Amino acid sequence: MKDLYNDLHGACEAMSRELGEMVDKIEQNGWKMSGSDLEMMDKLTHGIKSVKTTMAMMDAEGGSFDDGSYARGRRSYARGRDSMGRYTSRRAYDDGMRDDYRA
């Protein structure tokens, strides 16, 4: 079995080629897009973005999902990120409730 990162890279390449072929078709059609062209372009660009994001996450974690680093990253996710996925300090979760208990 090939490793997940290489599979993702291959999927991204395939979607990028398909998107390029679509752009060529649309150009030949005088830059007119049908509804199905727009829908397919949306799906391809979303797929490319998702794959590239996943690969970037794997790069940032210094490993791949297959070796368990993703699971380790998810445990830290619950502690160090807000609901939008941004890194936050743990104090951001405090919202002043501790002061109520100290009084």
Side-chain angles (χ1 to χ4, degrees):
M1 180 173 134
K2 293 174 13 181
D3 103 332
L4 177 59
Y5 193 90
N6 287 333
D7 290 343
L8 289 170
H9 182 72
C12 189
E13 288 293 320
M15 288 185 285
S16 295
R17 280 193 299 274
E18 185 71 25
L19 183 60
E21 290 173 11
M22 280 200 66
V23 170
D24 290 344
K25 174 189 160 202
I26 293 166
E27 183 180 14
Q28 291 172 358
N29 195 25
W31 295 105
K32 294 179 184 170
M33 293 177 65
S34 68
S36 62
D37 289 338
L38 181 59
E39 184 178 345
M40 181 56 72
M41 187 171 288
D42 179 57
K43 288 180 180 183
L44 288 170
T45 55
H46 181 80
I48 291 167
K49 180 182 78 168
S50 294
V51 169
K52 286 188 174 278
T53 299
T54 302
M55 292 172 69
M57 288 171 51
M58 291 170 71
D59 288 339
E61 291 176 353
S64 70
F65 294 164
D66 290 340
D67 69 4
S69 64
Y70 180 66
R72 285 190 298 276
R74 289 188 66 188
R75 282 193 292 273
S76 66
Y77 178 86
R79 293 180 315 202
R81 293 187 185 225
D82 66 11
S83 64
M84 298 297 291
R86 298 172 294 213
Y87 283 105
T88 61
S89 70
R90 292 199 172 116
R91 299 194 89 196
Y93 297 107
D94 182 4
D95 75 358
M97 288 180 62
R98 280 192 230 178
D99 294 336
D100 295 339
Y101 293 113
R102 290 182 194 177

